[in-house]
């Protein structure tokens, strides 16, 4: 399925490169493993070739999909997000969704957290999830679209910055 030097995505870890395919004998059975080095944190993973699809290992999204996801993130930033549930329940839900192999699902978590951050301060856990989602989305989009991940990040943070409030005497306050 994949070959050495292929770029792949491992859910909740991000873009990695297959360094090689190793064979190990486990319990008397020869098993092949992809040795994947995650680019963002230099972690090395051993992913069983036979189970690669089941654990969510996949190719990068297409350029058209990446462009569509980026455009959706730049879409209606005035949208409101229902935040009726407590942050703990939201944290668990978002944590599960970040494990999805589908970049569109991960980008929706990013979008929702950015939207929530426009109207209230995010909790420590939510900020951590925002950073993880931002890293996963910007890392893959940058790779596919050949643009800077930090540029994507800065652009989104500026776009979703809380609106400035009008203070007294026409001065703007944050």
């Amino acid at each position: 399925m994949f070959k050495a030097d292929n770029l792949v995505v491992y859910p909740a870890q991000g873009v990695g490169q297959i360094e090689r395919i190793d064979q190990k004998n486990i319990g008397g059975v020869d098993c092949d493993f992809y040795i994947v080095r995650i680019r963002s944190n230099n972690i090395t993973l051993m992913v069983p070739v036979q189970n690669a699809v089941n654990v969510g290992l996949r190719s990068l999204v297409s350029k058209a999909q990446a462009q569509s996801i980026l455009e959706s993130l730049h879409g209606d930033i005035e949208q409101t997000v229902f935040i009726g549930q407590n942050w703990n329940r939201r944290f668990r839900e978002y944590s599960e969704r970040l494990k999805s192999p589908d970049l569109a699902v991960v980008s929706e978590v990013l979008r929702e957290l950015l939207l929530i951050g426009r109207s209230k301060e995010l909790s420590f856990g939510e900020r951590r999830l925002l950073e993880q989602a931002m890293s996963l989305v910007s890392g893959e989009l940058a790779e596919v679209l050949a643009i800077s991940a930090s540029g994507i990040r800065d652009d989104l943070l500026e776009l979703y910055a809380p609106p400035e409030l009008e203070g007294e005497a026409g001065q703007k306050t944050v």
Side-chain angles (χ1 to χ4, degrees), residues 73-102:
L73 286 168
H74 282 91
D76 182 14
I77 64 164
E78 299 301 323
Q79 177 184 349
T80 56
V81 177
F82 175 69
I83 54 174
Q85 61 199 28
N86 65 31
W87 71 268
N88 198 9
R89 192 167 292 163
R90 229 180 12 254
F91 180 85
R92 284 195 305 263
E93 178 189 330
Y94 288 158
S95 294
E96 282 305 307
R97 288 170 54 193
L98 285 180
K99 295 175 189 171
S100 172
D102 185 351

Side-chain angles (χ1 to χ4, degrees), residues 40 47 50 61 64 67 80 89-90 111 137 141 159 166:
S40 63
V47 181
Q50 187 175 341
V61 295
Q67 195 62 47
T80 56
R89 192 167 292 163
R90 229 180 12 254
R111 179 182 172 79
V137 172
L141 292 180
L159 183 65
E166 285 291 327

Side-chain angles (χ1 to χ4, degrees), residues 1 40 54 58 73-74 77 90 95 107 144 148 153 164:
M1 184 171 162
S40 63
N54 295 340
R58 64 171 174 80
L73 286 168
H74 282 91
I77 64 164
R90 229 180 12 254
S95 294
S107 72
V144 173
S148 156
R153 174 189 164 79
E164 291 181 353

